[in-house]
Amino acid sequence: MKKRMLGTFLAVLMMAALALSGCGASDSGESTEAAETTAETTAEVTEALEETGAVTEAATTEAATETEESTVVLDVDGDGTVINFGDNQNSAAEMPMNTKLYGSLGDGYYWFSFTTDSDANADNRVTLINKTSTTGHVYANIYDEYGTELASGDAGGNGLASTFSVEGMSANTTYYVRLSTQYGNPAVVMVMIRNFNSEISSIMETEGTAVSNTVTLASNQDDAGIVPVESKIAATATGGYQYFAFVPEVSGEYMLTLVNETSTTGHVYANVYDEYGTELASGDANDSGTASTFSMGELTTGCVYYIRISTQYDNEADYTFTIREPEVPIEETAEVVNEGATAAIIEEETAGIVEDVETAAIIEE
């Protein structure tokens, strides 16, 4: 008889409420949190202030380690609540909807339940992220109380969010989620069941994060660190995927400028996604060193978007990218002309700070 597998889940519900409308191609305004991670590629990103940007030093990625009993691997700001998985539908632990849940999986099946709200016309969807790049696929199957499968989806080891709809649900009714992994491989997973018609709490704190001096180079969308717009971000791709997040301050068409700084390495690729894993745009820069600029489309202020960097044949390459805001209409610029002197003084004062940054010469213009 297969040994009973118990697991635990971390339920994280952040406080700032945002409406579910207008973010990305999914027409939703919810945000996604760049959570702290214990098994991710880490890097130092030092901002050279103003439009100079940031420099990163890449480290290595290590897969999550599975123990005999699955345990919680993430705790966001100490606000998590540990809840045991069930190993069958009857023992499934009740979890709230519209809440970001984390768990560590291994061999076997992991169950939890949730109860829908009172919305008879609910648009219920599941978002799933596999946070372990070496594990293959993570699977989620949704059942009613009779064991009828209503929907299923999976997330690959590329770290990208996978969102799928669940049809045929009734209001105020309990349903069941079964999680598993390909070949029973160990994996860290994030899963969230949401009613897209309702307002829910934000699952990313965006205020102030764009001015941080450090950011984590993440191998999945959930752990992506926020980077500022109109700043040159420099990093080294070492194979696999690197994710960055950003939050538009104004709505409009955003551009991305990408430069491959390593000759003979082939192409560097940039893909842009919304928080549900929908691709919005893509572009690449070849190894001639010529900048490549492409449109990321019309983006919405306050929403979180993601840039995924990879290279041809997983070659190592140094690269930079710059997120460019929409151009300000001429009639609006007159109001800020008088601030030009102040801006010049700030730029002059920060020049000395830039010189003190040991690695800033890489990107200083």
Side-chain angles (χ1 to χ4, degrees):
M1 180 180 295
K2 181 176 289 187
K3 189 170 183 179
R4 177 185 175 98
M5 295 291 293
L6 287 179
T8 51
F9 239 143
L10 174 65
V12 180
L13 180 58
M14 307 303 289
M15 298 302 297
L18 290 177
L20 272 174
S21 61
C23 278
S26 298
D27 235 12
S28 174
E30 177 192 3
S31 304
T32 302
E33 176 170 16
E36 295 177 7
T37 179
T38 58
E40 286 307 322
T41 305
T42 58
E44 287 286 322
V45 176
T46 307
E47 277 189 40
L49 300 178
E50 295 297 315
E51 297 185 0
T52 311
V55 178
T56 61
E57 290 178 35
T60 57
T61 302
E62 210 175 280
T65 300
E66 174 67 16
T67 58
E68 182 177 0
E69 177 176 311
S70 296
T71 58
V72 171
V73 295
L74 297 176
D75 191 341
V76 182
D77 298 328
D79 294 332
T81 301
V82 175
I83 301 176
N84 286 330
F85 279 115
D87 60 0
N88 61 70
Q89 193 164 322
N90 287 336
S91 63
E94 176 76 15
M95 302 294 291
M97 286 187 65
N98 302 326
T99 303
K100 200 171 187 182
L101 310 171
Y102 294 96
S104 181
L105 311 180
D107 191 19
Y109 297 110
Y110 299 77
W111 291 83
F112 69 93
S113 64
F114 65 95
T115 300
T116 54
D117 55 31
S118 59
D119 183 2
N121 299 311
D123 179 11
N124 293 313
R125 307 184 204 180
V126 178
T127 296
L128 186 68
I129 297 179
N130 178 1
K131 294 165 64 70
T132 306
S133 61
T134 59
T135 197
H137 289 261
V138 170
Y139 305 103
N141 302 74
I142 315 300
Y143 299 90
D144 64 15
E145 62 178 318
Y146 306 106
T148 303
E149 184 177 278
L150 303 180
S152 64
D154 66 284
N158 60 3
L160 186 65
S162 173
T163 300
F164 60 93
S165 297
V166 185
E167 305 293 341
M169 284 187 168
S170 301
N172 302 313
T173 303
T174 298
Y175 295 93
Y176 300 85
V177 179
R178 188 188 74 185
L179 300 175
S180 58
T181 66
Q182 190 172 17
Y183 309 123
N185 291 331
V188 178
V189 63
M190 188 289 292
V191 61
M192 184 173 185
I193 299 97
R194 326 177 232 202
N195 177 4
F196 275 47
N197 294 338
S198 64
E199 291 187 0
I200 68 170
S201 294
S202 170
I203 52 176
M204 175 174 251
E205 292 181 334
T206 58
E207 184 176 358
T209 54
V211 297
S212 174
N213 288 329
T214 60
V215 70
T216 298
L217 278 181
S219 63
N220 67 82
Q221 190 170 320
D222 188 63
D223 292 322
I226 294 282
V227 296
V229 299
E230 295 295 347
S231 292
K232 185 178 290 183
I233 310 301
T236 299
T238 56
Y241 298 107
Q242 294 175 346
Y243 284 82
F244 301 85
F246 69 98
V247 182
E249 295 183 1
V250 296
S251 296
E253 183 182 14
Y254 281 72
M255 309 293 288
L256 185 71
T257 297
L258 180 67
V259 177
N260 179 0
E261 297 183 332
T262 304
S263 62
T264 72
T265 195
H267 291 257
V268 172
Y269 304 103
N271 300 76
V272 183
Y273 301 92
D274 67 12
E275 59 181 310
Y276 310 108
T278 302
E279 185 176 275
L280 306 179
S282 63
D284 66 282
N286 61 35
D287 55 11
S288 69
T290 305
S292 172
T293 300
F294 63 93
S295 173
M296 294 187 283
E298 296 286 330
L299 306 183
T300 304
T301 181
C303 297
V304 184
Y305 298 93
Y306 298 85
I307 297 170
R308 187 184 75 182
I309 301 294
S310 59
T311 62
Q312 190 172 16
Y313 309 123
D314 278 342
N315 291 331
E316 182 171 320
D318 296 327
Y319 66 88
T320 68
F321 69 84
T322 305
I323 303 163
R324 303 191 183 279
E325 290 183 326
E327 294 185 4
V328 179
I330 296 177
E331 58 269 22
E332 295 183 13
T333 59
E335 300 179 3
V336 296
V337 166
N338 292 334
E339 298 179 8
T342 303
I345 294 173
I346 294 175
E347 186 174 2
E348 182 179 348
E349 291 176 350
T350 58
I353 300 177
V354 173
E355 293 172 1
D356 293 337
V357 180
E358 183 177 357
T359 54
I362 297 175
I363 58 172
E364 189 173 4
E365 297 177 336

